[in-house]
Amino acid sequence: MVEYHSFMEISEKNGNLTFWNTPNYPEIHTYPHQGYLFDIEYENSGGKQHFRNLKLQAKRARPYNPIDMDENSGILRNPFVYPGIKENISGHQEGADLEVEVYFLRNVSETSGSKTLTISVIDSVGKVIDIQKFSKTDFKNLVHGFNPRFEGGKVIYEVCYPIPLVSIPTQFTNTTGDQARFKLRYDRLGKDGKNIEASLGHQFAIYQEGNWEIQFWFRGQSPKFEND
């Protein structure tokens, strides 16, 4: 008989309920299942209080966030989202919109047990842009990862999942600590000779361990790195 271990944690500060390890626990039924009833006993210096017959109706687990997914069926409505950070990035065609899509890709064929996070950028014709063109990026401290290496124009980190590990604000997260945050940066000179500080990044969480790649794909036209 296989045993599965999943548990619920109640945040001391705000009362949020966190369910850990639920993707590996097949006995949790999701909508349209009628749900579950449970009791909570709360205790502090003022005494005890019971909350009875609380109802939980589980939705489909999200492998990552943000994600455009139907919470009832688990089907992706859109395979991509838009970057949370895109600042001062221009294309070669003046006046044309510079559209960027962000994909979260999980490589299930790589060595079992490895845990990596790859960040890559793809140009408008589907070719990898060398990540080191974002020359002002602090790659050693870009994400909460270890042993960064550059392969095929991409940067790869050894990481621990979930990302973030805990909801605590750090240099790698947003202000609440519930999502990781990073920026790719580069500078170039504009027509007036002024320095342009450009950046591309995202705010995200990944809950399912494995070998993930966050891929920025430029549609229509590619970004301009050269000086004007």
Side-chain angles (χ1 to χ4, degrees):
M1 179 179 178
V2 179
E3 291 187 2
Y4 296 91
H5 301 280
S6 181
F7 64 93
M8 179 179 70
E9 178 184 12
I10 304 175
S11 172
E12 178 183 356
K13 301 297 183 182
N14 56 24
N16 288 345
L17 302 181
T18 302
F19 293 84
W20 296 97
N21 203 36
T22 53
N24 298 321
Y25 192 69
E27 300 304 320
I28 292 182
H29 300 287
T30 58
Y31 181 88
H33 186 269
Q34 62 185 357
Y36 304 89
L37 295 177
F38 61 98
D39 299 336
I40 289 179
E41 179 183 289
Y42 173 79
E43 181 178 4
N44 60 16
S45 58
K48 291 184 180 180
Q49 188 172 0
H50 292 85
F51 300 89
R52 302 191 184 279
N53 294 323
L54 298 178
K55 186 173 183 179
L56 168 68
Q57 192 164 52
K59 302 290 186 179
R60 295 276 182 165
R62 295 180 171 211
Y64 58 87
N65 197 46
I67 184 173
D68 190 1
M69 184 189 82
D70 185 285
E71 293 183 333
N72 294 329
S73 67
I75 296 174
L76 283 178
R77 287 186 287 255
N78 234 331
F80 63 85
V81 294
Y82 294 105
I85 303 167
K86 188 182 72 171
E87 300 168 331
N88 300 324
I89 297 182
S90 302
H92 292 271
Q93 303 172 29
E94 292 188 13
D97 185 38
L98 197 68
E99 183 178 341
V100 187
E101 299 169 354
V102 182
Y103 293 82
F104 285 75
L105 309 173
R106 185 169 182 262
N107 191 335
V108 297
S109 66
E110 292 187 6
T111 304
S112 177
S114 63
K115 299 174 185 177
T116 61
L117 177 64
T118 300
I119 298 173
S120 63
V121 183
I122 311 298
D123 69 13
S124 60
V125 295
K127 294 183 178 180
V128 175
I129 297 174
D130 187 351
I131 200 76
Q132 294 187 76
K133 283 192 172 183
F134 293 84
S135 56
K136 293 297 182 179
T137 303
D138 181 6
F139 285 103
K140 289 185 178 180
N141 298 294
L142 184 64
V143 298
H144 190 190
F146 311 95
N147 303 320
R149 64 185 189 272
F150 298 95
E151 293 182 7
K154 306 177 181 183
V155 61
I156 304 171
Y157 297 87
E158 296 173 15
V159 295
C160 298
Y161 287 101
I163 298 176
L165 280 171
V166 292
S167 294
I168 297 176
T170 71
Q171 70 181 90
F172 306 108
T173 72
N174 59 8
T175 56
T176 58
D178 62 342
Q179 288 195 328
R181 187 175 187 269
F182 71 90
K183 274 187 179 183
L184 302 170
R185 307 169 187 264
Y186 68 96
D187 290 355
R188 68 182 191 88
L189 295 179
K191 290 182 178 180
D192 55 3
K194 290 184 178 179
N195 188 59
I196 298 174
E197 298 180 351
S199 61
L200 179 67
H202 205 47
Q203 187 168 293
F204 70 99
I206 299 178
Y207 310 115
Q208 185 180 21
E209 70 178 32
N211 298 290
W212 284 90
E213 180 172 343
I214 299 178
Q215 188 178 90
F216 296 89
W217 197 313
F218 282 83
R219 300 295 188 181
Q221 61 171 321
S222 300
K224 187 175 184 178
F225 293 92
E226 304 83 9
N227 296 331
D228 289 335

